[in-house]
Amino acid sequence: MNRYEISSFYYDTQGRIVEKLVEVNGFGPHNHIYIEYDFAGNPINIKKEHVALNYEGKQTQIYTYQYDHAGRITSESLKFNTLKEKKYMNIYITT
């Protein structure tokens, strides 16, 4: 059987990708990505789901970002399935 991928992209009114679906051979394993943006257009929430062949399990990753007034990432976090959320902080030093 030949392997192929079907990709679907969904956009908001500003032309930004808000959802992406990638299916392998039209059935079985697939990846689903959802993206939420802030007013400035920075991604603030990204949810990635991977469903295994025959739908025997789903892996979910949720990335959350915060930005300062200059648009730089100040914190990011990752939650994987039911595990505890991991947070990371970025500090910028200006002179």
Side-chain angles (χ1 to χ4, degrees), residues 8 12 18 21 23 25 32 37 39-40 44 46 48 50-51 58-59 66 68 71 73-74 76-80 95:
S8 302
D12 64 9
V18 294
L21 173 63
E23 297 180 76
N25 294 342
H32 219 138
Y37 300 91
F39 183 75
I44 54 173
I46 299 175
K48 297 181 180 183
H50 175 75
V51 178
K58 178 168 71 171
Q59 304 294 321
Q66 292 182 338
D68 65 8
I73 295 176
T74 57
E76 53 189 298
S77 63
L78 168 61
K79 183 164 177 40
F80 185 75
T95 57

Side-chain angles (χ1 to χ4, degrees), residues 34 36 42-47 61-67 73-79 85-90:
Y34 304 92
E36 182 181 351
N42 299 312
I44 54 173
N45 292 307
I46 299 175
K47 180 178 181 181
Q61 300 170 6
I62 299 173
Y63 299 85
T64 304
Y65 302 95
Q66 292 182 338
Y67 301 86
I73 295 176
T74 57
S75 71
E76 53 189 298
S77 63
L78 168 61
K79 183 164 177 40
E85 184 176 47
K86 296 278 189 180
K87 293 189 176 189
Y88 305 93
M89 303 295 286
N90 294 327

Side-chain angles (χ1 to χ4, degrees), residues 8-38:
S8 302
F9 298 89
Y10 302 88
Y11 301 87
D12 64 9
T13 56
Q14 276 77 45
R16 303 173 297 201
I17 295 174
V18 294
E19 187 177 338
K20 177 183 177 184
L21 173 63
V22 178
E23 297 180 76
V24 178
N25 294 342
F27 67 92
H30 65 272
N31 295 309
H32 219 138
I33 300 172
Y34 304 92
I35 305 170
E36 182 181 351
Y37 300 91
D38 65 9

